[in-house]
Amino acid sequence: MSSPKVAESAYIAPTAVLCGDVTVGPHSRVLFGAVITAEGGPVEIGSHCVIMENAVIRGVPRHPTRLGDHVLVGPHASLTGCVIEGDTRIATGAVVFNGARVGVGADVEFHAVVHVNTVLAAGTVVPMGWFAGGDPAQLVAPGDWERIRDLMAPLDYAGTVFGVGGTDPVMPDIARRYSRSLALHNRDRVLPPGQHDPLPTGPAEPQAGEDTNVRPDRHATTRSTKIAADDRFL
C-alpha cells in the first residue's frame, strides 16, 4: 500500500486529505478541506503549487494526474486523471476531466469545463463557464448545447470515466463499478503526524541574504516533515 510523499518545504493543512500514491513537491501548499487521492492512479503535484480550499484532485486507472510547477487550483475545483503542464490557473469551481491535457500557461476560468480526452494548447484561456472539448480543444459558450453535444460525442465520456461501452450507459452498472473500486478504501489506515514518506529533494533554494556561492552538502539528509497526512478517503 502506497503512502503520501511530501517535500519538507511543503505545507499540508490539518484538515486536508492525502490518500495513497500522492506526491507533493517543494514549496507547495494544500489548504483546508482539499482532497488529493490516488484512486488506482498516482497523483503528482509539482513545486510551488497551491491547492486551495475544498478542491478535489484524483488519479484514476489509465489516467494518473500530474500537475507541473506553479499551478494554482482554486476552491471547489475538480481535477481527475488529467495533466496540467505548469504555470497554470484552474479557477474556482472549474472541472478538468479524465485524459485531458492542459498546456503551459493556460487559464481555465471560473466554472469552466475541460472535457475528457481534450488537449488544451499552451496559453489558451477557457472563459468563465465555457466548455472546452476535442483535440485540439474547441471553445464553446455555455448556451450552445447542440455544439457541446457534437463535441462530446466522439470523446467517449462513458467509456473513459466509467469504463462502460455503448451509447446509453445504465446507471446501476456505473454505480456497481464505482462501488467495487472504492471498496479498496476499507484497507486505508490513518497516518499520524510525521509518519508519511518524506520526498527526496535536491539542493534547497537560496533564501534572501544567503551566499549563493556556498555549495550544499551532498550528503545531508532530509528531515521528516511534521505534518498530518491523513490517509483516508472522504
Side-chain angles (χ1 to χ4, degrees), residues 17-163:
V17 175
L18 307 183
C19 182
D21 190 5
V22 172
T23 301
V24 180
H27 306 288
S28 289
R29 316 294 182 224
V30 181
L31 300 185
F32 299 90
V35 176
I36 306 178
T37 179
E39 303 288 357
V43 178
E44 299 177 6
I45 309 294
S47 67
H48 296 92
C49 294
V50 178
I51 314 303
M52 298 188 72
E53 293 85 354
N54 301 306
V56 177
I57 301 177
R58 290 190 176 96
V60 294
R62 298 190 298 126
H63 294 114
T65 294
R66 298 198 308 273
L67 275 60
D69 300 335
H70 310 107
V71 174
L72 174 62
V73 178
H76 299 281
S78 177
L79 283 67
T80 301
C82 58
V83 175
I84 312 297
E85 292 186 346
D87 303 342
T88 302
R89 182 175 70 108
I90 310 296
T92 300
V95 181
V96 184
F97 278 105
N98 309 49
R101 178 177 291 270
V102 176
V104 173
D107 195 348
V108 182
E109 284 285 358
F110 303 97
H111 299 287
V113 173
V114 180
H115 202 53
V116 298
N117 303 317
T118 290
V119 177
L120 197 64
T124 302
V125 176
V126 184
M128 186 183 304
W130 280 45
F131 173 92
D135 179 8
Q138 298 184 48
L139 306 184
V140 185
D144 193 350
W145 298 115
E146 289 187 7
R147 182 62 181 144
I148 291 173
R149 282 196 295 269
D150 289 343
L151 287 172
M152 287 177 63
L155 295 176
D156 189 22
Y157 175 86
T160 301
V161 175
F162 301 116

Side-chain angles (χ1 to χ4, degrees), residues 11 41 109 201 210:
Y11 169 74
E109 284 285 358
T201 58
E210 287 186 347

Side-chain angles (χ1 to χ4, degrees), residues 156-176:
D156 189 22
Y157 175 86
T160 301
V161 175
F162 301 116
V164 297
T167 57
D168 188 21
V170 179
M171 197 60 217
D173 184 28
I174 291 172
R176 282 192 295 267

